[in-house]
Amino acid sequence: MQALSVQQPWAFAIARGGKTVSNQNLPTAYRGPLLVHASMRVDLKACDSPLVQAAGWDPRDPLATIGAIIAVAELDGVCSAAARDGSCDCGPWADAGAHHWHLGGVRALPRPIVALGRSPGLWEPKPALVTEISTMFAATAALDHSSS
């Protein structure tokens, strides 16, 4: 499993708002599970973006926190067409000139887990962090199942 640090409010938009593209400077060969880490930096201009607003941006939401893992996703693929020639069809979240990392199966954590991240690019989370996240999802699933 790998992790990716993303500035707020973009991390929130991935966790809550259906942002399925992460714009990156470099491509990656990695495919598979990915922890979404809200970095310690906030892109203040982006908070007013129509896309971010449409994603439900709310700085009071627990997933709007910084310095924490807030979601798990699958890194399904990377489109580098926009980085090469400026053209692709990766949707409204895709920036021209960037590599578009396509995220699927996004699941927001029931609560953020404080963690130190690294930027730029992928980083390997500590096994204890991965175990804590797996336990959290298992406990949530058990509660959901018992209330059915």
Side-chain angles (χ1 to χ4, degrees):
M1 180 174 288
Q2 296 288 301
L4 179 67
S5 294
V6 180
Q7 288 184 6
Q8 288 291 22
W10 305 114
F12 175 91
I14 292 169
R16 288 258 197 252
K19 183 179 191 300
T20 60
V21 171
S22 180
N23 298 293
Q24 299 295 318
N25 292 329
L26 297 171
T28 181
Y30 177 78
R31 302 295 182 270
L34 185 68
L35 301 181
V36 178
H37 175 263
S39 74
M40 295 298 289
R41 294 183 174 213
V42 178
D43 183 345
L44 294 174
K45 290 180 186 174
C47 295
D48 294 327
S49 156
L51 282 172
V52 170
Q53 290 299 312
W57 171 246
D58 179 356
R60 297 167 301 199
D61 187 304
L63 297 186
T65 191
I66 57 174
I69 303 295
I70 63 168
V72 178
E74 287 289 320
L75 179 51
D76 294 331
V78 175
C79 173
S80 295
R84 285 193 302 272
D85 62 20
S87 66
C88 73
D89 190 22
C90 292
W93 293 102
D95 289 347
H99 297 272
H100 305 145
W101 293 17
H102 290 269
L103 307 175
V106 177
R107 295 180 293 157
L109 268 61
R111 62 174 174 73
I113 298 176
V114 174
L116 293 175
R118 292 180 197 89
S119 265
L122 295 174
W123 51 276
E124 190 166 341
K126 293 183 178 181
L129 179 59
V130 174
T131 299
E132 184 176 357
I133 291 166
S134 298
T135 302
M136 180 184 285
F137 277 129
T140 302
L143 284 174
D144 290 346
H145 184 68
S146 68
S147 64
S148 303

